[in-house]
Amino acid sequence: MMNKKTKASAAILASLLAVSMFAGCTATEGGSSSTASTASTAASDTESKAESGKSADLGDKVFNVGVCQLVQHEALDAATKGFQDKLTELLGEDHVKFDVQNAQGDSTNCATICNQFVSSSYDLIMANATPALQAASAATTEIPILATSITEYGTALEIQNFNGKTGINVSGTSDLAPLKDQAAMVKELCPDAKTVGIIYCSAEANSKYQVNVMTESLTELGYSVKEYTFADSNDVAQVTQTACSECDALYVPTDNTAASNAQLIDSIALPAKKPIIAGEEGICKGCGIATLSISYYDIGTKTGEMAYDILVNGAKPAEMDIAYAPKFEKKYVAARCEELGITIPDGYEAIAAE
């Protein structure tokens, strides 16, 4: 039988054990490295880390962040805005300064911009689109780099057997859409087509990756597939005309040159009565009838959360999983569908043409 002193000691010991067990659980849950098999798990993990550090006392610290965006168009603009909005929200506007530079679609300009960021010893570089990422990666192995609007990082960075982490000073978000589902959309909306032409820029490695997957998927669905490439904006009109003359329908992947010239593509394809399935919403607005697309603003905000985790919590890009869009939406342009006599089934959201 315990006396009062013994009972008190036992109670104290039990309390200490409970606190220790709780602290151990917290450390395990908050500090474990994620090898998430799904995009949503990796995304929520990054968000929780960002939220947990919002109360950090930054004092007078101001982080200098360089943003290199390949070209101005709706998708990339939305990703950059999402990034800036989220990082500003998490850090506070007094603690971050952005230097946003547009490369005007020129990879050489990307290199110049990123080298300037390195010379200025910026705290972090955000690269928007594949040529911007490639330039940033070539410019520094020390400054943390986050990218967005990248379809496939293994392809962009020439990483063999890519497993979701780069192993270098780079991480970020992907704009990869479910390509097999986009191929199924071609079948759903263009069932009578026999030949599908894919038009894209040969200089964009991630476009080629999408084309390879789409070609395989469309072939499995019974289509004959032809590829048409342009080297830059000067070739877009001629390539589109050729594709329209030889194919029943077209597919345009997530491609920056195509996005910048979407209305030009539309001015040729629509009069030729050729429906276009687009890889993302911005291109769809410019020239497509439908798309299964992500929100570029959303992947931009996710990149902002990852930036906060690096700048404030000391996360290492090499150890961070690439994050993917959590959702995809079927969208269509009613005016073009009506002009082409295409009936859209339920489950699609209408968007306006541009």
Side-chain angles (χ1 to χ4, degrees), residues 260-340:
S260 299
N261 292 275
Q263 293 180 342
L264 173 59
I265 295 171
D266 183 56
S267 71
I268 298 167
L270 191 59
K273 302 297 182 183
K274 304 298 180 181
I276 295 175
I277 302 299
E280 56 92 8
E281 184 175 344
I283 295 175
C284 187
K285 288 180 177 179
C287 65
I289 61 164
T291 185
L292 180 61
S293 184
I294 68 168
S295 164
Y296 277 80
Y297 184 86
D298 286 351
I299 62 170
T301 61
K302 181 53 57 184
T303 313
E305 291 170 1
M306 296 172 78
Y308 183 91
D309 205 18
I310 291 169
L311 295 172
V312 176
N313 297 332
K316 304 297 184 184
E319 301 170 0
M320 300 174 76
D321 286 304
I322 301 302
Y324 294 82
K327 61 182 180 180
F328 308 93
E329 297 178 342
K330 288 183 174 183
K331 300 187 177 184
Y332 77 104
V333 177
R336 291 196 191 98
C337 290
E338 183 177 352
E339 184 166 343
L340 295 173

Side-chain angles (χ1 to χ4, degrees), residues 65-73 76-77 80 83-84 97-106 108-118 120 122 124-129 131-133 135:
V65 177
V67 177
C68 178
Q69 180 174 319
L70 174 63
V71 68
Q72 184 175 6
H73 64 69
L76 299 191
D77 291 349
T80 293
F83 174 76
Q84 291 182 275
K97 181 178 179 182
F98 296 102
D99 182 358
V100 181
Q101 300 289 332
N102 192 301
Q104 306 300 321
D106 189 331
T108 301
N109 290 342
C110 288
T112 300
I113 291 167
C114 290
N115 284 327
Q116 290 173 348
F117 292 162
V118 174
S120 299
Y122 282 177
L124 183 140
I125 296 172
M126 198 280 267
N128 194 346
L133 168 59

Side-chain angles (χ1 to χ4, degrees), residues 209-258:
Y209 172 84
Q210 295 172 79
V211 171
N212 290 342
V213 176
M214 282 297 292
T215 298
E216 181 179 351
S217 299
L218 288 168
T219 301
E220 289 175 355
L221 292 172
Y223 290 106
S224 173
V225 181
K226 294 185 176 183
E227 296 180 20
Y228 301 87
T229 62
F230 38 80
D232 53 39
S233 296
N234 296 323
D235 302 329
V236 171
Q238 181 180 350
V239 169
T240 303
Q241 288 171 349
T242 301
C244 286
S245 68
E246 297 178 355
C247 302
D248 303 310
L250 302 179
Y251 174 76
V252 179
T254 301
D255 181 285
N256 293 296
T257 306

